[in-house]
Amino acid sequence: VLLCYNIWMKTYLGESITDEDFASSKSLLSWAQQRFPASAVFEFWQTELHVIRTEVRQASACVERVHAVLAHLKLPAIDSFLEQKKAMFSLALLEWPNAAEGFEQSLAVSVARQRRSYVPTLSYLAGLCRIISGQASEARPNFERVQQYSKMRKRNWPPEDDLAFLKVKDFGTGEVSERRALLEMVEICMLKIHVLHTMPAEEKQQLKQKLQEEQEGEAAEEAARALLFSAEISRLQGEQEEAKQLA
């Protein structure tokens, strides 16, 4: 409960996480490591502690250990959640092929269990990752899956799935450019899945530079989106004046 409060709940309550909170959480996890060295629960909280400090590579290693501890239980929901978690970390590290694979493995669990919610979202994310990594042909089955699910009868699709339906419909039947896929990915990372704030400093800078690359013949709307997303990254980097200029 203390770890949950220090690492998660304070953020949702609008309270800042202090150095004392980090120290307290680290001490609790050290205590747990000595007494419960193979605990998936405490390893998960170690993962989250790394995440809020943007230590994504360490977080990714932790979640791999969590998965290894729980693998023998063969719990599909847990498998899906952890694969999705790993995919999010790959996104934060700009490792597009790994992210695509993680999303596809996560959604495969739901498909096998005939669960529909979030399959469109994960398919959409996987498709965008495939395009950004230069694998357009492998993106197509993901977008086709989104179209297929959009025709299913279900009254309570999550908002993320509704967004996937709208975006893929807007793509139409033509090829989606790598630039368009990148802009769509940054948008959903900023507005829905909140990956940008966990991204390490080096990757934030790389992504901002990629967004600001000149694109011959780029439409004004896409250029404006790239500047807006760059402004948000600058804000997260603490570069307030640059953020204002870009905005």
Side-chain angles (χ1 to χ4, degrees), residues 122-143:
L122 297 174
S123 298
Y124 174 60
L125 291 170
L128 294 179
C129 288
R130 291 294 184 193
I131 292 174
I132 296 169
S133 58
Q135 301 170 317
S137 62
E138 295 182 46
R140 199 168 297 114
N142 285 295
F143 294 149

Side-chain angles (χ1 to χ4, degrees), residues 229-246:
F229 302 153
S230 297
E232 174 62 8
I233 294 172
S234 292
R235 186 189 71 81
L236 293 171
Q237 291 174 313
E239 299 173 0
Q240 302 302 330
E241 288 304 316
E242 182 181 71
K244 290 177 184 177
Q245 291 172 4
L246 289 167

Side-chain angles (χ1 to χ4, degrees), residues 18-57:
T18 65
D19 290 340
E20 289 183 359
D21 294 328
F22 283 123
S24 173
S25 298
K26 192 173 180 180
S27 177
L28 288 168
L29 288 167
S30 178
W31 172 88
Q33 177 61 30
Q34 293 174 13
R35 289 161 178 78
F36 311 102
S39 168
V41 173
F42 287 117
E43 192 70 47
F44 174 80
W45 285 113
Q46 181 65 68
T47 301
E48 294 303 302
L49 187 64
H50 284 308
V51 169
I52 61 174
R53 304 200 71 168
T54 68
E55 298 166 349
V56 179
R57 294 190 187 280

Side-chain angles (χ1 to χ4, degrees), residues 192-203:
K192 290 290 184 182
I193 58 178
H194 308 298
V195 168
L196 292 185
H197 72 283
T198 66
M199 191 175 284
E202 182 178 348
E203 280 73 15

Side-chain angles (χ1 to χ4, degrees), residues 12-226:
Y12 290 106
L13 292 172
E15 299 180 25
S16 60
I17 300 173
T18 65
D19 290 340
E20 289 183 359
D21 294 328
F22 283 123
S24 173
S25 298
K26 192 173 180 180
S27 177
L28 288 168
L29 288 167
S30 178
W31 172 88
Q33 177 61 30
Q34 293 174 13
R35 289 161 178 78
F36 311 102
S39 168
V41 173
F42 287 117
E43 192 70 47
F44 174 80
W45 285 113
Q46 181 65 68
T47 301
E48 294 303 302
L49 187 64
H50 284 308
V51 169
I52 61 174
R53 304 200 71 168
T54 68
E55 298 166 349
V56 179
R57 294 190 187 280
Q58 295 92 320
S60 184
C62 285
V63 84
E64 289 284 1
R65 290 194 289 271
V66 172
H67 211 170
V69 169
L70 298 176
H72 71 284
L73 297 175
K74 300 186 184 304
L75 301 172
I78 295 294
D79 288 339
S80 179
F81 170 76
L82 294 176
E83 289 294 352
Q84 188 177 147
K85 197 82 171 170
K86 287 186 277 187
M88 294 295 187
F89 293 155
S90 293
L91 271 189
L93 295 171
L94 308 182
E95 296 174 351
W96 310 110
N98 292 342
E101 185 177 344
F103 289 131
E104 287 165 356
Q105 289 179 354
S106 178
L107 71 89
V109 176
S110 295
V111 170
R113 293 278 167 169
Q114 297 184 332
R115 294 172 180 161
R116 291 174 289 178
S117 293
Y118 295 105
V119 169
T121 301
L122 297 174
S123 298
Y124 174 60
L125 291 170
L128 294 179
C129 288
R130 291 294 184 193
I131 292 174
I132 296 169
S133 58
Q135 301 170 317
S137 62
E138 295 182 46
R140 199 168 297 114
N142 285 295
F143 294 149
E144 288 174 354
R145 189 182 302 109
V146 176
Q147 293 173 328
Q148 175 190 349
Y149 273 66
S150 71
K151 297 171 184 176
M152 293 182 179
R153 295 186 63 183
K154 181 174 166 63
R155 290 184 299 174
N156 58 339
W157 288 108
E160 294 84 355
D161 287 345
D162 285 332
L163 177 64
F165 296 147
L166 288 171
K167 291 291 186 180
V168 172
K169 183 179 180 180
D170 189 52
F171 290 163
T173 57
E175 292 291 326
V176 180
S177 69
E178 182 179 332
R179 179 68 169 181
R180 172 77 184 275
L182 180 67
L183 292 174
E184 300 296 352
M185 177 59 77
V186 177
E187 181 180 79
I188 197 169
C189 283
M190 185 173 81
L191 299 178
K192 290 290 184 182
I193 58 178
H194 308 298
V195 168
L196 292 185
H197 72 283
T198 66
M199 191 175 284
E202 182 178 348
E203 280 73 15
K204 279 193 182 81
Q205 187 62 28
Q206 288 176 12
L207 181 58
K208 185 167 70 172
Q209 289 174 349
K210 192 170 183 63
L211 286 167
Q212 293 179 319
E213 290 175 357
E214 289 190 14
Q215 303 291 316
E216 186 176 349
E218 183 172 45
E221 181 183 351
E222 291 196 350
R225 292 175 76 197

